[in-house]
Amino acid sequence: MTGWQDIEAEVLRRIQTRDWPPGSAIPNEADLATDFGVARATVNRALQSLAEAGWIERRRRAGSRVALHPVRKATFAIPVIRAEVVESGRVYAHRLILRETGLPPADVAFDPGPHLHLVAQHLADGAVHAHEDRWINRAAVPGIDAVDLAEISANEWLVGHAPFTHGDYAVAARQAGDLAPVFGCDADHALVTVRRGTWNGAQPITVVTLTFAPGHVVRAAL
Amino acid sequence: MTGWQDIEAEVLRRIQTRDWPPGSAIPNEADLATDFGVARATVNRALQSLAEAGWIERRRRAGSRVALHPVRKATFAIPVIRAEVVESGRVYAHRLILRETGLPPADVAFDPGPHLHLVAQHLADGAVHAHEDRWINRAAVPGIDAVDLAEISANEWLVGHAPFTHGDYAVAARQAGDLAPVFGCDADHALVTVRRGTWNGAQPITVVTLTFAPGHVVRAAL
DNA sequence: TAGTGGTCTAGACCACCAA
DNA sequence: TGGTGGTCTAGACCACTAC
């Protein structure tokens, strides 16, 4: 009846009711274990969960404190675009527009030397769903040169063959501009862009900028 | 030397090298524990971490399988806007534009009855950083009526006083339109909007739409 | 119904770091 | 240097569910 989730809920309640106000220290694990009548490991599990969610901050020797700014985190899935389109009940297709080797622009801070530059479009029911502009670090992805990227999108191939340790993700807005003909909208239409970079350790893998069709929404869950 | 993170790394390696291809079953916890020479709890910790990251899917009795679509998840912090501004080295201010009680529009699917409607602006160095349009379910947030929302932003007050269990988050793009004067930009400028809804169990708490100043980027980490 | 993951326990050792 | 969180162990029981 008293699982770690119950402990978590009770501690969270004390934080939210300000029994334990922001910035204050909370009892150490051993004491809480005694209070709740459970093993310390159970309390540990509960507090780790709260720390991961941003409610408390934990430091050895210093103990645990209620976070001053309870920061909630949102997570959203990074789907293979094909799956995203298919799940919405539309027919997916992929079109390679440009494939060349060259030096990336300065804001793509890769290793020196030529990189693979791709421009492609993801189609949903024949209409352009997303326009993709990608740079790939050939040194980091051996084998990419032999792949027929007209057959399988770089997006999909990389997901399966180029493991990465971390990345960043930035969502912004832009006017359609010279992409207006691609989407069949006015040049001043507001479009969502996503720029994603991935690394394997210190080695950059790829940077991709996706521009989505009018009306596209990037969703996440809290 | 063999902590749960080592186990996690080794299992992840086997997935990425396709020793254990997508969709295949991986050994049960007890077997892995024997193989690695650790306790089952240690293996369990590693596999739970991998499951949380989306690499594997776990089900009782059915065992663990490598996920078919290794979906990476991005997480981004939902900051109190004040903190976001202050961290960028600018001076934060808050301005309440409108506070009224009324019936929310249809797309805000709240309980019947009047809700609190707020329009506010978050300022950075005197310029509008974000325009906020918010509906609050008064029934779900007792005490909100007594708060001076000119002094503390609803954003901040709710974070500390209105616990929620889950929410959604949607990022889109729009033209500045009638907000152009607010941001001092052209009416056809592309702006980022974030719509966020939060619930406490089945009870809706608040829905807020934030429109950010030109150039704003929503960032996340993979 | 049996096999699997989910969790708890009681104890232990260690890494870290503020005092 | 002592107190704290981080983690591992060996064993146990339970909840779920495919069979």
Side-chain angles (χ1 to χ4, degrees):
Chain A
M1 209 54 170
T2 38
W4 67 266
Q5 309 209 39
D6 297 294
I7 308 291
E8 178 184 24
E10 172 58 17
V11 171
L12 184 53
R13 190 190 66 76
R14 294 186 187 179
I15 292 173
Q16 288 175 340
T17 58
R18 319 217 144 210
D19 282 348
W20 294 338
S24 66
I26 73 180
N28 67 38
E29 294 186 353
D31 288 349
L32 284 175
T34 306
D35 290 350
F36 289 122
V38 299
R40 183 167 79 93
T42 306
V43 172
N44 181 277
R45 184 81 164 84
L47 295 189
Q48 288 220 0
S49 176
L50 287 169
E52 199 175 337
W55 286 105
I56 63 176
E57 292 167 0
R58 322 189 72 201
R59 270 152 59 207
R60 284 174 152 116
R61 167 69 188 178
S64 300
R65 299 188 156 274
V66 178
L68 281 176
H69 298 291
V71 174
R72 293 297 297 243
K73 288 170 184 160
T75 66
F76 56 94
I78 312 281
V80 173
I81 293 185
R82 171 199 293 277
E84 187 183 29
V85 169
V86 170
E87 272 176 29
S88 71
R90 293 174 293 176
V91 175
Y92 175 85
H94 168 256
R95 183 194 291 159
L96 184 63
I97 306 294
L98 169 71
R99 174 184 184 141
E100 65 178 8
T101 303
L103 293 177
D107 63 332
V108 180
F110 276 8
D111 301 329
H115 290 64
L116 189 58
H117 182 210
L118 302 174
V119 175
Q121 290 168 355
H122 302 270
L123 311 181
D125 281 351
V128 178
H129 172 251
H131 176 89
E132 168 176 329
D133 188 306
R134 181 188 293 270
W135 289 88
I136 300 176
N137 184 2
R138 291 162 69 241
V141 192
I144 184 72
D145 289 326
V147 179
D148 180 0
L149 293 173
E151 279 303 309
I152 180 173
S153 78
N155 183 327
E156 229 160 313
W157 191 86
L158 288 169
V159 163
H161 295 80
F164 62 92
T165 54
H166 64 285
D168 58 34
Y169 196 95
V171 187
R174 60 162 278 184
Q175 290 191 327
D178 56 5
L179 289 180
V182 171
F183 293 111
C185 64
D186 294 336
D188 64 358
H189 206 103
L191 302 179
V192 172
T193 71
V194 166
R195 182 189 157 107
R196 188 164 78 231
T198 54
W199 286 260
N200 193 354
Q203 189 174 47
I205 304 290
T206 185
V207 169
V208 59
T209 301
L210 291 161
T211 305
F212 290 92
H216 184 78
V217 175
V218 176
R219 297 186 185 282
L222 295 181
Chain B
M1 210 53 170
T2 38
W4 67 267
Q5 309 210 38
D6 298 293
I7 308 292
E8 178 184 23
E10 172 57 18
V11 172
L12 183 53
R13 190 191 66 76
R14 294 187 188 178
I15 292 173
Q16 288 178 339
T17 60
R18 317 209 146 217
D19 280 349
W20 294 340
S24 66
I26 73 179
N28 67 38
E29 294 186 352
D31 288 349
L32 284 175
T34 307
D35 291 349
F36 288 123
V38 299
R40 183 168 78 93
T42 307
V43 172
N44 180 277
R45 184 80 165 84
L47 295 190
Q48 288 221 1
S49 176
L50 287 169
E52 199 175 339
W55 286 105
I56 64 175
E57 291 167 0
R58 321 191 73 203
R59 269 153 58 207
R60 285 174 154 116
R61 169 69 187 178
S64 300
R65 298 188 157 275
V66 178
L68 278 177
H69 297 292
V71 174
R72 293 300 295 247
K73 289 173 183 156
T75 66
F76 56 93
I78 312 285
V80 173
I81 293 185
R82 171 200 293 278
E84 186 183 30
V85 169
V86 169
E87 271 175 31
S88 70
R90 292 174 293 175
V91 175
Y92 174 84
H94 167 257
R95 183 194 291 159
L96 185 62
I97 305 294
L98 169 71
R99 176 185 183 141
E100 64 177 8
T101 303
L103 293 177
D107 64 332
V108 179
F110 276 7
D111 301 330
H115 289 64
L116 188 59
H117 182 211
L118 303 174
V119 176
Q121 290 167 355
H122 302 270
L123 311 180
D125 282 352
V128 178
H129 173 252
H131 176 91
E132 170 176 326
D133 189 305
R134 182 187 292 270
W135 289 89
I136 300 176
N137 183 2
R138 291 163 67 241
V141 193
I144 185 71
D145 289 326
V147 178
D148 180 0
L149 292 173
E151 278 303 309
I152 180 173
S153 77
N155 184 327
E156 226 159 316
W157 191 86
L158 288 169
V159 163
H161 295 80
F164 61 92
T165 53
H166 65 285
D168 58 34
Y169 196 94
V171 187
R174 59 163 278 185
Q175 291 192 328
D178 56 6
L179 288 180
V182 171
F183 293 111
C185 65
D186 293 336
D188 64 359
H189 206 102
L191 302 179
V192 172
T193 72
V194 167
R195 181 189 158 108
R196 187 164 79 232
T198 54
W199 287 259
N200 192 356
Q203 188 174 47
I205 303 290
T206 185
V207 169
V208 58
T209 302
L210 291 161
T211 305
F212 290 93
H216 184 78
V217 175
V218 176
R219 296 186 186 284
L222 296 180

